[in-house]
Amino acid sequence: QDGDGVLTLQEVVEGATILGLSEAEALEFFKKLDVDKSGTVDIDYRDVHKHTLSNDVQYFPPKARVY
């Protein structure tokens, strides 16, 4: 919500209730997201995969975005 890359329980509950979930459902969802049990969910940058999940398709490198 505040753009810091970290979700707190309150932020998840607020967002989930906007989507129609109950507070209990939001808490259960948060527990699944908080894999390191730190009380927050870190939204980290993830590198682009440089391989495919199977050998059935060829890998194509990403192209720069043009806006």
Side-chain angles (χ1 to χ4, degrees):
Q1 185 176 10
D2 57 12
D4 64 356
V6 177
L7 290 174
T8 64
L9 175 59
Q10 181 179 349
E11 290 171 331
V12 170
V13 168
E14 288 174 5
T17 53
I18 290 171
L19 296 173
L21 295 174
S22 68
E23 194 168 325
E25 290 170 320
L27 178 58
E28 192 63 33
F29 182 62
F30 182 81
K31 287 180 183 178
K32 291 179 182 178
L33 292 174
D34 185 15
V35 293
D36 64 356
K37 308 295 184 225
S38 66
T40 61
V41 178
D42 298 323
I43 310 298
D44 295 328
Y45 172 80
R46 300 206 194 295
D47 243 352
V48 173
H49 290 284
K50 298 185 178 175
H51 58 83
T52 60
L53 298 177
S54 72
N55 293 327
D56 297 337
V57 293
Q58 179 183 356
Y59 169 75
F60 291 96
K63 294 184 178 182
R65 294 183 180 185
V66 179
Y67 297 97

